[in-house]
Amino acid sequence: MAQDEYIFIVRCGEVALKGMNKPYFERMLLERIKKLLKKFDGVRAYRHEGLIYVRAEKVPGGEGQASADPAAMKARKEAIIREIGKVFGVASISPAMECESTMEDIGRTAVEYMMEAIEERGVKTFKVEAKRADKNFPVKSPDIARQIGAAVLKGCKVLRVDVHDPDVRLFVDVRHDKSYVYQDKIPGFGGLPLGTNGKGMTLLSGGIDSPVSTWMMAKRGMLIEAVHFHSYPYTSQRAREKVEELASLVATYCGRFRMHVINLLPIQEQIVTNCPEEETTILVRRFMMRIAEELAKANGCNMLITGENLGQVASQTAEALVVTDASVQMPVMRPLIGMDKVDIMDLAQEIGTYEKSIEPYEDCCTVFLPKHPSTKPRLERILESEAKLDCEQLIKDAIASEEIVNILPHRD
Ligand code: ATP
Ligand code: MG
């Protein structure tokens, strides 16, 4: 029985632990999966008995498989898996084969599954594990495993059983109406479905850290809106484009979002002209935070998000962070605060932002960089310096000159 659809079993990780809220989280998760799979023809997703199923016609449009290009079919299957894997809240994905819940049909399907594994990957050993969600099913799980194992041995003469280190661990999942045979559990990122945890205004630079911090908060279900600061013409148009490209990589996870683009140069010039040089960085950072907070309030965000990381640079010492924090009332999320740089870089690689982040373009923070930035700023001194500036007006003007860019998910 050749199957004309790919079937993917999608497991919700933490979502399943949410007690009373469980149906809500599952619905949100299904919505996200549906949304991300819209770009594929002939794909549908639905919920059934606590799992999410995705079905995809092997050849969209229902044309015969005989004439189909196997490479194209494989690419389509992999693209669908990749897309599901990007949905926050997905714990794992298993490409599966479906059959009737009878020992006979399960056995036949298991043989078909293993035949493919032998052909494609030269598999030699296997082991069957079984579970039954349907407790009325007449055969108990260990017996299902034994009997299906025997059926596979009979159907695939080249295979041997290896219970300790098999090439294929074949899972048999007996459910009420249908049963499923699968091997891999491809891990997802886990987390919670987008839209289940408020909205954050993320401060997005072109660096390595802020795309990762944005991704981490989105992974906890937070919707994203962004602000980016530049110092045009000291920072180039190309640097700005790089940030938009980086943002669109992040959007492949968190969906399309708005990015407020603000020219910080007039503020930087005022600071450089009127305040002590070693305070430049911290003063600029406090302005960034206040502008971000204004934008956050105006756009329904609950918190700010930055890529700051304790001790990484002069502006991220404990003292500097305290002074930065004192500029705003809104909670500031710093999901990278305790991570080591190498771990942040690894995560950036994993989510696919690293290569773009290391492209060498200037950032507004590097314009007017003081020779000896103060690493232990004192709030009273900083407030004295700010008293020399018309902060409110500067912030108003900066916001008045904003441009809003719609960031769409990057398409590969
Ligand atoms: P990143 O790699 O995210 O740029 P960083 O290690 O370079 O971080 P800083 O330049 O001190 O550190 O910036 C700390 C945080 O401030 C960033 O993670 C980001 O959230 C925010 N930030 C810095 N520059 C900008 C910018 N030009 N626009 C928006 N936010 C910025
Ligand atoms: Mg930076």
Side-chain angles (χ1 to χ4, degrees), residues 38-71:
K38 250 192 201 146
K39 61 178 162 215
F40 298 100
D41 291 330
V43 177
R44 64 203 167 90
Y46 58 94
R47 228 163 16 127
H48 185 59
E49 290 185 349
L51 290 175
I52 289 175
Y53 294 85
V54 174
R55 290 173 177 270
E57 292 167 13
K58 285 189 178 168
V59 181
E63 287 151 39
Q65 275 178 54
S67 57
D69 169 11

Side-chain angles (χ1 to χ4, degrees), residues 233-299:
Y234 286 84
T235 57
S236 64
Q237 182 59 25
R238 186 63 194 96
R240 150 100 180 256
E241 285 161 15
K242 170 192 165 181
V243 175
E244 290 182 19
E245 288 159 10
L246 199 49
S248 86
L249 289 173
V250 177
T252 61
Y253 299 93
C254 68
R256 61 192 295 169
F257 62 86
R258 301 198 323 156
M259 184 161 84
H260 305 257
V261 178
I262 304 254
N263 190 342
L264 208 58
L265 187 58
I267 292 178
Q268 289 174 302
E269 285 172 338
Q270 285 294 309
I271 292 173
V272 170
T273 316
N274 296 296
C275 307
E277 193 204 356
E278 69 276 12
E279 291 177 4
T280 311
T281 308
I282 192 82
L283 287 165
V284 168
R285 295 208 51 74
R286 282 169 56 89
F287 271 99
M288 282 188 180
M289 299 299 272
R290 273 181 290 201
I291 292 168
E293 184 180 46
E294 289 304 316
L295 292 171
K297 281 192 215 154
N299 291 283

Side-chain angles (χ1 to χ4, degrees), residues 199-201 289 292-305 325 327-334:
K199 182 155 94 164
M201 178 64 70
M289 299 299 272
E293 184 180 46
E294 289 304 316
L295 292 171
K297 281 192 215 154
N299 291 283
C301 299
N302 319 73
M303 20 184 98
L304 305 178
I305 305 168
D325 243 16
S327 60
V328 289
Q329 253 118 49
M330 203 173 256
V332 183
M333 297 296 118
R334 300 180 166 98

Side-chain angles (χ1 to χ4, degrees), residues 205-210 363 365:
S205 73
I208 294 170
D209 301 332
S210 47
D363 181 67
C365 293

